[in-house]
Amino acid sequence: MGVSLGSCALLPSQVSCLCGSAPCLLCGCCPSAKNSTISRLLFTLFLFLGTLVSIVMIIPGVEKELHKLPGFCQGSGSVLGVQTNVDCSSFLGHKAVYRMGFAMAAFFGLFAVLMVCVRSSRDPRAALHNGFWFIKFLLLVGITVGAFYIPDGTFTSVWFYFGVVGSFLFILIQLVLLIDLAHSWSQRWLRNAEEGSARGWYAALCTVTFTFYAASIAAVVLLFVFYTRPEGCTEGKAFISINLILCLIVSIVSILPKIQEAQPHSGLLQASLITLYTFYITWAALANVPSCLGLRNGTGSATAPEPLTTWWEAPSIVGLVIFILCTLFISLRSSDHPQVNKLMLTEESGAGSGAGAAAEEEGAVHRAYDNEQDGVAYSYSFFHLCLLLAALYIMMTLTNWYRPDESLQVLRSPWTAVWVKISSSWAGLLLYLWTLVAPLVLPDRDFS
């Protein structure tokens, strides 16, 4: 972060722009862009920068150097908030990631509180949201530095539960966005089939649906092979079987005549995408089942102690990719469905083309413009809350949801992580099922 700080101060002539508005900062890079979009991208860039710093700190070579920080390891009488005489150098990466997660959560939480009830860019607080980027960067750096001086005590043990709750809520946001994406995808392709080459679009629809289901079947087989055993790991077998049955149910419901009559655009494409994501969540949950970790680590024993985890395990890498796509989705795209826009407090598709856009079209030079003079395009406070939850989610992902075991000798996976992930997969399936049956249950409401 210090390197980035130095690069931001290269030219004194740029200081006024760095301290100014989002259009001033990025008008050369993003011509004809909305002020609302640029601000979201810059805050997301802050989140990605913090994530990058967290990844660097958990790399073994860098992790071993963290003990040189005054008071961070040497002279500390606790590890992850628990008094012990264990060599804390083996836990420094986890401690660093937790403090970086705290810093990002505190930063976005501060702005979530400050931006409550901002109605338009005429509100003085909107200038703080859309400008002063250099100062906000310094604020984030300051909070991060301060976080590394937080005494061990019970900090990490308590912050673990904040991370669990925040991650669960962020997974639910992921599910809402995924279901919305699935419905929009299917509707668009079916609309294109009706307006153009029906055979080509239907072939593409069938191919993608088949691919998703084939990947889901392969995932089920691999989960049974690598995360269960004939005489043990009963929990893994139960989770896989339950989610397989639930996915079959929602797939069948999606093509029932009554459902098709109420929602002509519903079908197996949405169900296949939800099924594939459900088995990813199941995979991530099984990777944390304490009684089956020995199988995953290749010991052949379901009770063998697991080695210290690393962030680059496969479920964490996939989780990191989904985190990046989800945060970019929140920053760049609004939904085609008014219900989702109302839930996520974002602008509807095509919104924000007001006086600022007209002025931009009339001008000779293309540049970013303020599209929020008459009303904000999204809830500033809710957007920062989403980034706060995203920071907690990536904190838990990079540490694989681990915490110290009872002997205080190694980090182990608690059942809390398993149940959070499994329950979120069930919540996603129930939410998708509700989108299918809601027009039948509430016939007087418009679900078009």
Side-chain angles (χ1 to χ4, degrees):
M1 296 187 77
V3 175
S4 301
L5 177 61
S7 65
C8 290
L10 288 176
L11 297 177
S13 61
Q14 295 176 343
V15 173
S16 61
C17 193
L18 286 170
C19 295
S21 65
C24 172
L25 185 58
L26 288 183
C27 62
C29 300
C30 303
S32 303
K34 300 175 183 178
N35 186 35
S36 59
T37 301
I38 294 177
S39 295
R40 282 181 285 186
L41 280 175
L42 287 173
F43 276 113
T44 303
L45 180 62
F46 281 6
L47 178 63
F48 287 167
L49 178 61
T51 302
L52 179 61
V53 172
S54 298
I55 293 175
V56 170
M57 287 183 175
I58 208 171
I59 293 176
V62 178
E63 182 180 5
K64 293 179 180 179
E65 297 297 320
L66 290 176
H67 74 278
K68 297 179 181 179
L69 291 176
F72 196 58
C73 180
Q74 295 177 354
S76 174
S78 64
V79 175
L80 294 179
V82 182
Q83 295 295 327
T84 177
N85 56 5
V86 179
D87 180 14
C88 71
S89 61
S90 60
F91 302 100
L92 282 176
H94 283 68
K95 294 174 66 176
V97 171
Y98 266 60
R99 279 156 175 76
M100 193 67 217
F102 173 82
M104 291 191 292
F107 176 77
F108 292 119
L110 174 63
F111 277 93
V113 173
L114 291 177
M115 298 300 138
V116 172
C117 296
V118 173
R119 303 300 183 188
S120 71
S121 60
R122 293 186 175 92
D123 191 309
R125 292 174 295 168
L128 180 62
H129 175 81
N130 295 315
F132 303 99
W133 295 103
F134 185 70
I135 296 175
K136 285 188 285 194
F137 180 78
L138 290 179
L139 175 63
L140 178 58
V141 172
I143 296 175
T144 302
V145 173
F148 277 82
Y149 287 93
I150 298 176
D152 275 336
T154 58
F155 167 75
T156 312
S157 297
V158 174
W159 195 242
F160 170 83
Y161 291 102
F162 280 91
V164 167
V165 175
S167 299
F168 177 76
L169 296 176
F170 187 73
I171 291 175
L172 293 183
I173 292 177
Q174 288 182 0
L175 291 167
V176 171
L177 297 178
L178 181 69
I179 293 172
D180 172 55
L181 174 64
H183 282 295
S184 299
W185 188 353
S186 178
Q187 290 176 10
R188 188 164 300 177
W189 279 21
L190 290 175
R191 191 180 304 117
N192 291 339
E194 294 172 357
E195 298 174 355
S197 175
R199 180 176 299 179
W201 285 107
Y202 282 125
L205 194 68
C206 294
T207 301
V208 173
T209 301
F210 174 80
T211 301
F212 285 160
Y213 274 123
S216 300
I217 295 173
V220 171
V221 174
L222 292 175
L223 289 178
F224 272 113
V225 170
F226 290 102
Y227 290 91
T228 65
R229 55 184 299 177
E231 65 278 7
C233 294
T234 307
E235 302 89 349
K237 298 175 185 176
F239 291 147
I240 299 171
S241 301
I242 290 173
N243 280 355
L244 178 59
I245 294 173
L246 292 177
C247 288
L248 288 174
I249 291 174
V250 297
S251 297
I252 294 173
V253 170
S254 67
I255 56 175
L256 291 176
K258 286 288 186 180
I259 299 296
Q260 290 289 309
E261 181 181 350
Q263 295 198 71
H265 292 110
S266 67
L268 292 178
L269 176 61
Q270 300 99 310
S272 64
L273 181 58
I274 299 301
T275 298
L276 183 60
Y277 184 80
T278 297
F279 283 112
Y280 156 69
I281 295 291
T282 307
W283 175 35
L286 293 178
N288 285 110
V289 174
S291 60
C292 300
L293 287 176
L295 299 178
R296 175 168 61 88
N297 295 321
T299 64
S301 171
T303 60
E306 69 275 12
L308 189 64
T309 183
T310 51
W311 76 267
W312 49 85
E313 292 182 353
S316 297
I317 294 176
V318 176
L320 180 62
V321 172
I322 294 176
F323 154 78
I324 293 174
L325 295 177
C326 184
T327 49
L328 288 176
F329 191 95
I330 294 173
S331 301
L332 294 175
R333 183 182 182 274
S334 58
S335 174
D336 296 330
H337 300 91
Q339 295 90 346
V340 177
N341 285 315
K342 185 177 180 180
L343 176 64
M344 300 296 294
L345 303 179
T346 56
E347 59 186 330
E348 293 188 16
S349 183
S353 56
E360 183 274 330
E361 291 177 357
E362 294 175 1
V365 180
H366 293 284
R367 58 182 303 166
Y369 58 89
D370 182 6
N371 64 315
E372 298 180 305
Q373 293 182 3
D374 298 326
V376 294
Y378 60 99
S379 170
Y380 290 176
S381 186
F382 185 78
F383 171 71
H384 287 294
L385 178 61
C386 288
L387 294 187
L388 185 157
L389 299 177
L392 295 176
Y393 172 81
I394 199 62
M395 179 188 77
M396 300 303 293
T397 298
L398 292 179
T399 57
N400 282 327
W401 301 66
Y402 274 39
R403 60 177 306 185
D405 67 346
E406 292 79 2
S407 65
L408 307 180
Q409 299 301 313
V410 294
L411 291 171
R412 292 192 184 275
S413 175
W415 275 102
T416 306
V418 179
W419 284 112
V420 165
K421 295 177 182 180
I422 285 295
S423 60
S424 65
S425 70
W426 295 340
L429 289 170
L430 290 175
L431 182 60
Y432 173 63
L433 184 62
W434 171 250
T435 64
L436 296 177
V437 303
L440 299 177
V441 178
L442 303 173
D444 296 332
R445 294 190 60 180
D446 181 18
F447 291 94
S448 60

